Amino acid sequence: MNKVILMGRLTRDPEVRYSQGENATAVARYTLAVDRRFNRNNDDQTADFISCVAFGRAGEFAEKYFHKGTKIAITGRIQTGSYTNKDGVKVYTTDIVVEEQEFAESKNSAGNGDGGFAPVSRPEPAAAGDGFMNIPDGIDEELPFN
């Protein structure tokens, strides 16, 4: 089974090209910066930069809605390949072919620098001396139990 699930931030806006021919297909390429959980061997690098490619409607979606810094979650498969560059050197490639992609945070929390968690303010309930919350008089009929 070849299945990959990643969550990270785009390092730049997706680069989108269209295939030639009657049925032009969008091909979006982008790089995800995926945080590492653990720092091994005292390595200063705290993220991996993973190349992703999305075809068709997924590529069009990336072109329209994804921008540098956007936090996304993707599922896909690993695809390896190789080519010979202009200097005659064989270059090996590894890409994630995107099957599904979605936003991993709300638009409002994207720029606040808290990792995608927006602060929630809740009023503290008034507590009685016995540790239970006081229920105001007159709402007994609205409670789901008697």
Side-chain angles (χ1 to χ4, degrees), residues 61-72:
F61 183 88
E63 178 180 33
K64 187 171 183 180
Y65 297 108
F66 290 171
H67 304 286
K68 179 180 177 178
T70 304
K71 188 174 189 179
I72 63 171

Side-chain angles (χ1 to χ4, degrees), residues 11 56 61 67-68 72 79 88 93 98 101 114 129 132:
T11 60
F61 183 88
H67 304 286
K68 179 180 177 178
I72 63 171
Q79 181 171 294
T93 62
V98 176
Q101 58 190 4
D114 62 4
F132 290 94

Side-chain angles (χ1 to χ4, degrees), residues 64-86:
K64 187 171 183 180
Y65 297 108
F66 290 171
H67 304 286
K68 179 180 177 178
T70 304
K71 188 174 189 179
I72 63 171
I74 66 166
T75 60
R77 60 184 168 82
I78 295 175
Q79 181 171 294
T80 60
S82 64
Y83 64 92
T84 304
N85 68 11
K86 62 183 177 185

